Each structure stands twice: as C-alpha cells, then as structure tokens.
Amino acid sequence: MAKYTRGTVTAFSPFDARADAEALRKAMKGMGTDEETILKILTSRNNAQRQEIAAAFKTLFGRDLVDDLKSELTGKFETLMVSLMRPTYIFDAHALKHAIKGAGTNEKVLTEILASRTPEEVRNIKQVYLQEYEANLEDKITGETSGYFQRMLVVLLQANRDPDSGIDEGLVEQDAQVLFRAGELKWGTDEEKFITILGTRSISHLRRVFDKYMTISGFQIEETIDRETSGDLEKLLLAVVKCIRSVPAYFAETLYYSMKGAGTDDDTLIRVMVSRSEVDLLDIRQEFRKNFAKSLHQMIQKDTSGDYRKALLLLCGGDDE
C-alpha cells in the first residue's frame, strides 16, 4: 500500500517526548489550564509521537495523559484533543463502537468509515476492535442493522476487494451491462448486483465501469443509485461510489456539509479532521477549494470558535485562498 504523504500533520523534529510531557503537565498543573500549549503540542506531533508523549507522561508523573486532558478540558475542544490521542485504528474502532452502542444506530458513521477505508485498514480495524472490546465487529454491526444496507456493510467488512491489476475490458462491459439491467432496465431493482459489483471489484476496474455505464445508459451511476434505491442503502452505495472516484473529494464534501447551514456537526468535523490529518488532508483541502469556491480554512474559521477553532485550523495546516 502506498504510504500516505498528503497529510497536514507529519513527524515533528526535533522531537523530545519527555520535554513535551513536562510541558503538558505544567500546562495542566495547579490553578487554570494553559490550553494554548496543549493544542500547539498535540496538533503538531503525529500520532506515533503522541503515543510516546503519553508513555513519557505516565513514566514521569504516574498519571494518565488522556485522563488529565479529560479532567482539565471541556466541550468540543476536549473531544478534539482526546481524539488526537487515540491510536489510528483504535480511533476508528472507537467511532464504530459508539455508532452501534445503545439506542439507535448512527448509520452515517458506519457508512463514512467503511466506505472510505482500504481493505487493509478495514482488516486492522476489525482486529483492533476484537482486542479492545472483545467483540466481533461484524457480529455487532449485523445485530444493529438490517436489509440490503446490512448486506453491503458485511461485504465491505470482508475487505476482499479485488486488487488493482490489469483491466479486463470484457468484464468492464459485462459489469456495466449487469448494473444497467439491475437498475434502469428493471421494474424494481436488483440491489444484490449493485452490492456485489460495488463491494468487490477493484477501484481501477470500477472507475472504468462507471465510464462505460454512462456510455450505455446515458446516466451517471450516482443518478441511477439515487433513483433506484433509498434510505441508508442509497447513502452507503453513493458513499462507496464517491470514494471509488476520489476519497479526498468524498471527505471534502463530508466536511462541507458538516459545517454548511445552521449549526455544525462537530462529531463529523472532528472525526474527519483527526482521521485524515496524516493521510490526505492536503488533497481534501484542494478538492474543497475546487468544489465549494471557498477554502476549508475559511469555513472552519467562520463556523467554529475559541481553542477548538485554533486547534482545527492548526490541523488544517493552511489556507488555500
């Protein structure tokens, strides 16, 4: 798998875990809290370095850094700082656990994570979920979902998408025809065909299938999904298609809608900014500027406030005017 190099957060140098741990302890000790120091350190170190800082913090002071952050900070700023302290796969596993916990399921989180992660990432998330929560992620998700939405999630959880290798034009044509017959040409929809093809074929193959589909049907595949399916399944299939076309464009759109209109969906904003900060946030920023005629930086500036805003802007890493 290609190493991600399009993140806004990279390894900090020169790095000294003990010095950072001491600075954080000082920022939280005694009366009042020095939020500025906390946000500057945690947004400028990568995840591996933050784990070293947490270990040094425990070694030096016999205290848990995350517990201290929770007791010293509040609100969205606390959520953001604590999220930054979670190791990558634990972060995703934790988000999924909370999406299926208690009354009601947060389908949006299941959709976002499972549609956008690579097969290798999904396998790691499943493993970490088992270690952390002593439960099987697939069992938990099937217990909380149903119908074709559930079946598509299960396909994605298998993490068995074909690897990107040579493209077989015959199979491209065949898949495009199958999708056309399963949707536009059929009274009712054969959802299973959409699930199998979109959930198992390679990314490069599917991009060709979408082009061929447009030629055959005169429609973008998204238009067909929109017409032929509804509810959670529709949202999931559309998310999968968008991620196949471009993961950064999918996240740019997700961020845009988390802040557009009245009120902000802070959970989504935090989840995406944290999970993509070391992956492809530079690409997401580019797509954001291209598709929404404003920069991600400007939108965060306008939509958030206080230390929470400062920390998000540091993660954003610059303005694409």
Side-chain angles (χ1 to χ4, degrees):
M1 190 174 102
K3 267 317 267 171
Y4 293 123
T5 52
R6 301 287 298 156
T8 50
V9 177
T10 53
F12 183 82
S13 175
F15 172 62
D16 181 342
R18 288 178 77 104
D20 284 348
E22 281 164 0
L24 287 169
R25 175 72 183 124
K26 191 172 161 214
M28 294 187 277
K29 206 172 153 184
M31 286 293 287
T33 307
D34 172 4
E35 286 88 358
E36 191 84 16
T37 297
I38 296 171
L39 69 88
K40 282 205 167 127
I41 291 176
L42 297 186
T43 59
S44 62
R45 310 300 189 260
N46 70 11
N47 199 288
Q49 291 175 327
R50 290 181 212 125
Q51 304 316 316
E52 286 186 51
I53 295 168
F57 196 88
K58 197 163 262 181
T59 301
L60 294 171
F61 311 113
R63 302 173 69 90
D64 186 289
L65 176 55
V66 172
D67 289 347
D68 278 11
L69 290 168
K70 284 178 176 170
S71 69
E72 293 292 326
L73 310 174
T74 56
K76 295 172 287 205
F77 180 55
E78 175 200 336
T79 306
L80 177 57
M81 293 297 108
V82 169
S83 297
L84 284 170
M85 289 307 302
R86 286 201 177 94
T88 311
Y89 295 119
I90 291 184
F91 181 77
D92 281 346
H94 180 266
L96 289 168
K97 181 175 170 56
H98 280 264
I100 45 186
K101 195 174 109 181
T105 304
N106 189 338
E107 290 83 5
K108 188 168 160 184
V109 176
L110 300 182
T111 294
E112 179 198 299
I113 293 178
L114 294 175
S116 64
R117 301 307 190 253
T118 64
E120 187 190 352
E121 287 168 339
V122 172
R123 286 192 287 272
N124 283 323
I125 292 165
K126 288 198 300 191
Q127 199 181 338
V128 165
Y129 197 94
L130 191 59
Q131 286 161 357
E132 288 290 303
Y133 306 118
E134 294 177 351
N136 178 298
L137 177 59
E138 189 182 316
D139 291 348
K140 288 289 178 193
I141 286 177
T142 49
E144 296 293 332
T145 55
S146 61
Y148 288 114
F149 175 63
Q150 178 200 76
R151 285 160 68 173
M152 184 67 188
L153 290 172
V154 170
V155 168
L156 294 172
L157 281 165
Q158 302 319 299
N160 279 332
R161 190 177 288 290
D162 297 336
D164 271 322
S165 51
I167 288 185
D168 173 349
E169 289 300 337
L171 185 60
V172 167
E173 172 81 36
Q174 187 188 321
D175 279 352
Q177 292 286 359
V178 166
L179 290 172
F180 187 43
R181 286 198 296 272
E184 299 289 347
L185 286 186
K186 192 174 179 346
W187 194 81
T189 310
D190 186 347
E191 288 89 353
E192 203 157 88
K193 296 278 194 294
F194 279 84
I195 289 170
T196 302
I197 292 174
L198 294 177
T200 62
R201 300 285 198 251
S202 78
I203 303 291
S204 49
H205 171 83
L206 283 166
R207 285 177 184 158
R208 292 281 302 118
V209 170
F210 298 162
D211 293 343
K212 180 62 77 177
Y213 184 86
M214 180 74 193
T215 314
I216 294 170
S217 68
F219 298 114
Q220 293 285 10
I221 188 81
E222 290 92 333
E223 297 174 77
T224 295
I225 290 170
D226 200 28
R227 261 199 303 277
E228 298 288 330
T229 60
S230 62
D232 294 324
L233 175 67
E234 178 191 346
K235 289 180 190 140
L236 179 56
L237 291 176
L238 285 174
V240 169
V241 168
K242 284 171 186 172
C243 288
I244 285 158
R245 290 195 189 275
S246 163
V247 169
Y250 169 70
F251 279 118
E253 187 182 309
T254 304
L255 284 169
Y256 178 73
Y257 285 107
S258 75
M259 293 182 277
K260 185 182 182 291
T264 304
D265 176 356
D266 293 292
D267 287 344
T268 297
L269 179 55
I270 291 170
R271 195 171 55 249
V272 176
M273 292 297 287
V274 171
S275 65
R276 308 316 287 185
S277 60
E278 289 179 48
V279 182
D280 53 4
L281 195 49
L282 290 169
D283 295 325
I284 292 168
R285 271 171 39 186
Q286 260 177 355
E287 291 290 337
F288 197 98
R289 186 80 195 81
K290 191 173 86 189
N291 298 332
F292 304 111
K294 61 177 78 168
S295 71
L296 176 58
H297 193 278
Q298 286 157 349
M299 203 154 177
I300 290 170
Q301 180 87 40
K302 193 175 110 297
D303 233 73
T304 58
S305 61
D307 293 316
Y308 175 53
R309 171 165 66 192
K310 280 185 202 165
L312 285 172
L313 290 175
L314 285 171
L315 286 178
C316 182
D319 194 352
D320 314 283
E321 297 227 29

